[in-house]
């Protein structure tokens, strides 16, 4: 991250991490957290009781503090401590959620992808303020970005892989039965990817269900110039390991009844 005093806002610094050549605004920050912080997050993630996991056909996930209701409402409750420090203070310094209604994320999905697992092209929808901040842990993966065609679907991402995205990409071609992406973003371990504005509302994203990401170079990868260690991918390919993504969002509709249900409210 930029080396500036802790008291100085980093909004201008954030601009230096914008991915050029894509719709605004995608931002990519390598080494957003340290290796020790990554290890701590992964240990906490793995220790979550089995009944907190949602198993899907191509991945499993946790929703914190809870999943959304069918009406896209969050039962308001504090996020677990292991998901807040040191990440949210760094969001605050960058001003990531400064314009969001709650000025801070109130919901996190922790998706775990093993090699060969992914998620179909989807959009995150209107349940959230149009900012997603994703911290990557463990393995490397390429995020495919797609132009959106047809109607919107605002269901929570838990259900995203079951959607019919209704698009064939920018040129009508398909790769392995999937739409062709209009851009590709490589996500390194410990990196932060921020999606906001038109990047959130006008595009979709997904992760191919493959074991090896290929065709990795400065022409194919939109954020190549922002990578922390592009030399690792000079071979043009990267074999996947298990990757966990922590996606931070601000759910627009919240209910205070959640603090009572989850036992965190005042008595």
């Amino acid at each position: 991250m930029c080396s500036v005093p802790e008291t100085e806002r980093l909004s201008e610094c954030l601009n230096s991490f914008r991915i050029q050549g894509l719709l605004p605004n995608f931002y990519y920050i390598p080494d957003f957290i340290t290796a020790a912080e990554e290890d701590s997050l992964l240990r906490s993630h793995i220790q979550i009781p089995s009944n907190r996991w949602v198993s899907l056909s191509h991945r499993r996930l946790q929703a914190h503090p809870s999943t959304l209701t069918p009406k896209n409402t969050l039962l308001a409750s504090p996020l677990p401590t292991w998901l807040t420090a040191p990440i949210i203070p760094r969001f605050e310094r960058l001003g990531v959620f400064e314009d969001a209604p709650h000025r801070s994320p109130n919901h996190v999905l922790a998706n775990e992808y093993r090699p060969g697992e992914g998620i179909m092209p989807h959009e995150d929808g209107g349940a959230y303020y149009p900012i997603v901040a994703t911290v990557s842990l463990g393995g490397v993966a390429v995020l495919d970005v797609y132009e959106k065609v047809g109607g919107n679907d605002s269901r929570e991402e838990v259900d995203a892989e079951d959607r019919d995205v209704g698009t064939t990409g920018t040129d009508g071609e398909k790769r392995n039965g999937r739409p062709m992406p209009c851009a590709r973003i490589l996500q390194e371990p410990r990196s932060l990817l921020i999606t906001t504005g038109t990047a959130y509302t006008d595009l979709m994203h997904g992760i191919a269900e493959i074991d090896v990401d290929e065709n990795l170079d400065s022409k194919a990868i939109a954020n190549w110039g922002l990578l922390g260690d592009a030399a690792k991918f000079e071979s043009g390919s990267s074999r996947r390991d298990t990757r966990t993504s922590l996606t931070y969002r601000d759910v627009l509709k919240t209910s205070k009844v959640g603090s009572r249900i989850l036992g965190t409210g005042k008595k």
Side-chain angles (χ1 to χ4, degrees):
M1 293 182 62
C2 297
S3 179
V4 297
E6 290 291 324
T7 55
E8 184 175 337
R9 278 191 39 77
L10 297 186
S11 294
E12 291 303 317
C13 172
L14 185 60
N15 286 333
S16 68
F17 292 103
R18 189 168 75 83
I19 301 177
Q20 302 296 323
L22 295 182
L23 276 176
N25 295 306
F26 285 101
Y27 301 90
Y28 180 82
I29 302 178
D31 298 315
F32 180 72
I33 60 173
T34 67
E37 290 165 346
E38 177 186 39
D39 288 343
S40 177
L41 285 164
L42 285 171
R43 286 197 302 271
S44 298
H45 168 71
I46 292 170
Q47 292 170 0
I48 297 297
S50 59
N51 63 357
R52 289 299 309 272
W53 290 88
V54 177
S55 295
L56 302 173
S57 57
H58 300 286
R59 71 190 191 283
R60 65 174 188 165
L61 60 83
Q62 304 161 10
H64 298 283
S66 63
T67 58
L68 303 190
T69 71
K71 293 185 178 181
N72 286 332
T73 298
L74 176 67
L75 302 179
S77 182
L79 289 170
T81 302
W82 67 274
L83 287 171
T84 58
I87 292 174
I88 290 183
R90 292 177 189 167
F91 289 166
E92 292 173 350
R93 292 182 61 215
L94 287 165
V96 176
F97 288 89
E98 181 180 63
D99 296 327
H102 300 98
R103 300 181 64 84
S104 184
N106 57 13
H107 189 253
V108 179
L109 282 183
N111 287 281
E112 183 181 272
Y113 300 93
R114 293 173 296 183
E117 296 181 333
I119 184 169
M120 291 296 292
H122 67 280
E123 58 183 313
D124 291 338
Y128 311 99
Y129 187 77
I131 291 177
V132 178
T134 301
V135 178
S136 292
L137 310 174
V140 175
V142 170
L143 184 77
D144 294 325
V145 179
Y146 303 86
E147 290 187 346
K148 184 167 63 175
V149 178
N152 298 335
D153 191 333
S154 60
R155 283 182 292 167
E156 190 180 8
E157 190 177 2
V158 169
D159 302 317
E161 68 173 2
D162 297 323
R163 300 176 190 173
D164 179 4
V165 298
T167 181
T168 55
T170 57
D171 57 4
E173 297 181 2
K174 289 190 175 184
R175 181 186 62 190
N176 298 326
R178 297 170 65 96
M180 287 293 290
C182 61
R184 302 169 70 210
I185 298 172
L186 194 154
Q187 294 177 272
E188 299 168 289
R190 300 181 294 283
S191 67
L192 172 68
L193 178 65
I194 301 171
T195 306
T196 185
T198 51
Y200 182 99
T201 57
D202 296 355
L203 297 172
M204 300 190 301
H205 53 278
I207 298 174
E209 297 166 3
I210 54 180
D211 294 301
V212 180
D213 286 300
E214 299 183 296
N215 300 318
L216 307 181
D217 57 34
S218 60
K219 294 182 180 179
I221 300 300
N223 62 322
W224 187 265
L226 295 173
L227 294 177
D229 191 357
K232 288 184 177 180
F233 310 104
E234 286 182 347
S235 67
S237 66
S238 175
R239 181 166 294 278
R240 291 188 183 175
D241 293 318
T242 298
R243 171 181 174 267
T244 298
S245 67
L246 304 178
T247 56
Y248 288 77
R249 303 181 179 89
D250 184 5
V251 179
L252 296 174
K253 294 192 297 184
T254 63
S255 172
K256 292 183 179 179
V257 70
S259 61
R260 297 193 294 272
I261 292 175
L262 298 176
T264 58
K266 296 180 179 179
K267 297 182 180 179

